[in-house]
């Protein structure tokens, strides 16, 4: 069977289908189509691999592919320069850039198909289809059981979208997200991620909400692909590698989200896996890749770079010194010891956050990590009872005569996960990133050697997937609880927000938006308005806001005007039903911690006549009103 | 050792044990209470899946008498303690106990979850005050928002209903239940004595 004609037929029939849809229904019909949005996602996130393979004659994943993601910040900068020179809206060159990207992607794909031999194409198709099918089955079940169509389950998406909104509306070129949005109190990364994210959501003109939803579906599949490659490199076995893909997709690490959300930290981890799975990573590649990782996420990038250095330089050197990996057990014992010590420190009440990050605690209004014994519960939660299997698998590794560097590394990686988690820096959960993949590798190393018939082995693997699925269900449901909105909707955005969003979009009010933190993040993510730092509104700002709506008078209005979150800007005030509920039901929990937000918004806005009369007296008229929001003029 | 670890028998037992444990934990999760019980200052708060809650405030307790002034035995700041008893696992559920003390007056609330949707709510109030035979002791259950209130004719059963949830209060000891005028609250009253108890079954039915 000839594979080239089949691949060409698929490639061009998809293009023709979209072209016909566009001609018949206009581009808007495409931008609203889930299929088209999925296509643009695939184009944007696989273009760097094609550049690496076709232009640099390298592998599809690896350092060239990682560095090829620079295509997006570079082309964004070119578009910015053109827009500035010609004094036009940056969206014009960015729209052309989208077309250019799609054309380039198709050309590169055509070259790849044309230039590659049959054998390679068969191999590539096989090694792509297998993980895609595995991931798709898992994702389909997750979405059928747990998700609602076009639901948004990450305020992070709205936060990062706010940067893109401001970049495109104000023709801005921001190196740091904080320069383009008031939602970033600290700059934890450059805007490399935002140029890629924007290329998918805004430059394409795609429907925003649908884009978020499609990203949630396709991101785990993309992660599954790179996980499969890494697993295949170690085990050279499709079934075992597919098991690792399924296992890691179903390990939900709250706070790390590596298989659930596409955000800077998970994107950095994806790049890290690309570097880790590449067969030949030389020193220059490591240096360039590391720089890119750090620029994509300062903390997570640095953390992963240190792990890369350990794997590629230190472990290699140790192996050379001692002759064989079998003689390096003492290194793992050191890692175990350090992990045990950090656990003991945690039990004794020590946490890095409470002793050395007092400023953060003060700002946030509390610690971000749980004390012992809850910390232990949090650490065990991602794997649940499967942690017993992990322990058995580690025991098996130590008793095995012939040890493997990759399993050795996976065990040390898991130790690092737990050690940093128990040390308890702010957002300690994030450092458990990758726990699923590396636990899966250690467990798979054990399961591939069990003395049972292949059919029973398959049954065991499926049963274990079922076990981890139930754990995933419990953990993911816990995560979704935060997004429970009115009318049984589980999403950060509800149809009741649409009226206000559309009003703000069509009327340029030239002001900062001040409201409860949840309303602010909704507005920041869906319009180009700046807000009073959105969901990160300071405790002081929250208290002043509550004081104002409870006792609307000139003094309190003055205090409100001076809160640091507004940075001395004019503001438009949105009185939401969340705020009304706060006054009349004394639901003021959201004023005590930066990470607590009121999501429900169905209380109504009919009671606070004092506030409305006061605002009128201040010549701040009502310019928009619905059942749950009142917007006052600046 | 590895011979044992990779043997058919060991892996079979291991997978069976893991499956049973996973199933039990999953069952424990699905069987969890559809309400959460917390203590904020001296108020016990029972939160429901619709985001609303029931507040049991000691300061709302009141002794009324047609001939004398009303009196709130726990009206100000009180000493209080909130504790749990037992643990949650499958059908076993822990109890929540709040003890509030104001001088010699003591008020104990015990909430005993009996299923994911039902709990017993028991008040025990011990006071040492001089009041006449016509005096009444009332406790108040505050719902967090306006909703539809239905009081049955026998005044032993009340229902609070909104778009998503229906919460039913059944008196197990013939306590008189009424709605407080203009407020989303229920008033439960009994003739005053030194030791009074209120015993209720609360059923919660929320749509998904």
């Amino acid at each position: 069977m000839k594979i080239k004609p089949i691949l060409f037929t698929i490639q061009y029939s998809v293009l023709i289908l979209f072209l016909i849809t566009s001609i018949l229904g206009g581009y808007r019909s495409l931008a609203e189509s889930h299929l088209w949005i999925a296509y643009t996602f695939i184009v944007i996130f696989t273009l760097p691999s094609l550049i690496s393979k076709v232009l640099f004659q390298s592998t599809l994943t690896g350092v060239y592919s990682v560095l090829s993601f620079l295509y997006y910040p570079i082309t964004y900068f070119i578009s910015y320069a053109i827009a500035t020179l010609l004094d036009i809206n940056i969206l014009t060159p960015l729209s052309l850039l989208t077309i250019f990207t799609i054309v380039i992607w198709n050309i590169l794909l055509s070259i790849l198909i044309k230039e590659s031999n049959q054998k390679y194409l068969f191999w590539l198709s096989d090694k792509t289809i297998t993980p895609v099918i595995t991931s798709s089955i898992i994702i389909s079940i997750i979405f059928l059981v747990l998700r609602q169509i076009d639901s948004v389950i990450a305020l992070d998406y709205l936060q990062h979208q706010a940067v893109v909104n401001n970049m495109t509306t104000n023709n801005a070129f921001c190196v740091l997200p904080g320069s383009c949005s008031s939602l970033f109190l600290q700059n934890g990364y450059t805007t490399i991620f935002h140029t890629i994210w924007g290329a998918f959501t805004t430059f394409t003109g795609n429907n925003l909400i649908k884009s978020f939803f499609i990203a949630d579906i396709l991101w785990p599949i993309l992660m599954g692909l790179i996980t499969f490659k890494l697993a295949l490199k170690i085990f050279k076995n499709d079934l075992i590698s597919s098991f690792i893909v399924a296992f890691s997709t179903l390990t939900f690490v709250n706070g790390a989200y590596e298989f659930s959300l596409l955000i800077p930290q998970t994107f950095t981890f994806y790049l890290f896996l690309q570097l880790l799975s590449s067969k030949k990573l030389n020193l220059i590649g490591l240096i360039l890749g590391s720089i890119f990782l750090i620029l994509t996420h300062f903390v997570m990038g640095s953390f992963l770079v240190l792990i890369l250095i350990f794997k590629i330089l230190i472990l290699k050197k140790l192996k050379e010194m001692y002759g064989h990996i079998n003689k390096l057990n003492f290194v793992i014992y050191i890692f175990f010891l350090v992990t045990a010590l950090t656990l003991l420190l945690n039990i004794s009440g020590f946490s890095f956050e409470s002793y050395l990050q007092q400023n953060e605690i003060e700002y946030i209004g509390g610690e971000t990590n749980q004390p012992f014994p809850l910390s232990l519960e949090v650490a065990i939660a991602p794997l649940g009872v499967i942690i017993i299997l992990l322990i058995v698998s580690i025991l098996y590794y130590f008793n095995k005569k012939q040890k493997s560097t990759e399993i050795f590394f996976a065990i040390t990686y898991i130790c690092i996960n737990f050690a940093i988690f128990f040390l308890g820096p702010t957002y300690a959960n994030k450092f458990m990133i990758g726990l699923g993949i590396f636990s899966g590798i250690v467990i798979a190393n054990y399961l591939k050697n069990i003395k049972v018939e292949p059919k029973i082995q398959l049954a065991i693997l499926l049963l274990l997937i079922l076990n981890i699925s139930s754990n995933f269900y419990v953990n993911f449901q816990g995560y979704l609880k935060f997004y429970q909105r009115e009318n049984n909707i589980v999403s950060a955005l509800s149809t009741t927000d649409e009226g206000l969003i559309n009003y703000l979009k069509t009327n340029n009010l030239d002001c900062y938006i001040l409201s409860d933190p949840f309303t602010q993040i909704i507005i920041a993510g869906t319009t180009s308005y700046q807000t009073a730092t959105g969901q990160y509104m300071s405790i002081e700002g929250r208290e002043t806001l509550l004081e104002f709506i409870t006792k609307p008078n000139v003094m309190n209005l003055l205090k409100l005007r001076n809160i640091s979150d507004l940075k001395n800007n004019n503001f438009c005030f949105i009185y939401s039903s969340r705020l009304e509920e706060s006054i009349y039901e004394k639901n003021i929990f959201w004023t005590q911690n930066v990470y607590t937000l009121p999501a429900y918004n169905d209380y109504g806005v009919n009671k606070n006549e004092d506030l409305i009369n006061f605002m009128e007296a201040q010549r701040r008229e009502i310019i928009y009103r619905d059942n749950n929001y009142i917007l006052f003029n600046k | 050792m590895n011979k044992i670890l990779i043997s058919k028998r060991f892996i079979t037992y291991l997978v069976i044990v893991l499956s049973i444990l996973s199933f039990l934990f999953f069952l424990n999760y699905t069987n969890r209470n559809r309400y959460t019980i917390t203590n904020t200052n001296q108020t016990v708060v029972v939160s429901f899946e619709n985001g609303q809650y029931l507040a049991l405030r000691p300061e709302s307790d009141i002794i009324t008498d047609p001939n004398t002034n009303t009196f709130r035995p726990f009206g100000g700041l009180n000493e209080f303690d909130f504790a749990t008893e037992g643990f949650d696992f499958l059908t076993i559920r822990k109890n929540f106990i709040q003890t509030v003390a104001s001088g010699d007056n003591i008020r104990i609330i015990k909430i005993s979850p009996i299923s994911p949707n039902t709990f017993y709510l028991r008040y025990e109030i011990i006071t040492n005050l001089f009041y006449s035979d016509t005096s009444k002791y009332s406790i108040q259950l505050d719902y967090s928002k306006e909703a539809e209130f239905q009081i049955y004719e026998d005044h032993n059963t009340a229902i609070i209903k909104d778009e998503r949830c229906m919460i039913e209060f059944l008196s197990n000891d013939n306590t008189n239940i009424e709605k407080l005028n203009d407020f989303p609250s229920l008033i439960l009253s009994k003739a005053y004595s030194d030791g009074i108890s209120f015993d209720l079954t609360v059923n919660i039915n929320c749509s998904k």
Side-chain angles (χ1 to χ4, degrees), chain A residues 385-386 388-389 392 395-397 399-401 446-447 449-453 456 460 463-464 467-468 470-471 473-474 477-478 481 484-485 488 581 585-587 600 602-603 607, chain B residues 1-2 4-8 10-12 14-23 25-26 29-30 32 36 48-53 57 143-146 163-164 184 207-208:
Chain A
V385 295
I386 298 293
I388 298 170
L389 181 64
V392 170
L395 273 176
Y396 169 76
Y397 172 81
N399 285 292
K400 207 177 169 206
K401 280 179 189 162
Y446 163 60
L447 293 176
N449 290 310
I450 52 174
K451 299 279 179 222
V452 291
E453 298 82 53
I456 296 178
I460 288 170
L463 210 54
L464 290 171
N467 285 347
I468 193 86
S470 67
N471 196 55
Y473 179 88
V474 172
Q477 277 281 38
K481 219 173 174 183
Q484 178 77 55
R485 289 280 305 262
N488 298 335
E581 190 169 1
E585 307 302 340
K586 297 194 168 38
N587 278 349
Y600 271 92
D602 64 343
Y603 189 79
K607 292 182 181 173
Chain B
M1 187 181 178
N2 269 7
I4 300 169
L5 292 180
I6 58 171
S7 67
K8 194 174 179 176
F10 179 82
I11 189 73
T12 310
L14 181 65
V15 171
I16 289 170
V17 168
L18 289 177
S19 301
I20 292 169
L21 284 175
S22 284
F23 180 69
F25 279 104
F26 183 69
Y29 173 78
T30 52
R32 80 201 188 286
T36 48
F48 307 114
E49 286 185 324
N50 60 350
Q52 303 306 325
Y53 60 86
R57 305 176 212 273
Y143 192 57
S144 53
K145 70 176 241 189
E146 285 296 345
E163 305 84 43
R164 227 187 124 196
S207 57
K208 284 277 172 196

Side-chain angles (χ1 to χ4, degrees), chain A residues 347-360:
Chain A
I347 293 170
S348 70
F350 173 84
S351 91
F352 195 81
E353 183 180 36
S354 57
Y355 282 83
L356 298 158
Q357 293 177 296
Q358 276 299 326
N359 287 343
E360 275 89 343

Side-chain angles (χ1 to χ4, degrees), chain A residues 192-252:
Chain A
I192 288 177
F193 173 80
H194 302 89
T195 56
I196 303 165
W197 181 248
F200 167 55
T201 58
T202 307
F203 311 166
T204 49
N206 286 344
N207 177 305
L208 206 58
I209 311 298
K210 288 178 181 173
S211 301
F212 296 161
F213 185 70
I214 289 293
D216 284 351
I217 295 175
L218 294 182
W219 175 247
I221 295 176
L222 199 63
M223 282 293 289
L225 272 165
I226 193 69
T227 305
F228 187 82
K229 193 198 166 190
L230 182 69
L232 205 61
K233 183 183 154 193
I234 302 167
F235 297 106
K236 295 174 181 60
N237 179 317
D238 280 9
L239 177 66
I240 292 290
S241 302
S242 299
F243 167 77
I244 295 169
V245 170
F247 184 90
S248 35
T249 309
L250 289 165
T251 307
F252 180 73

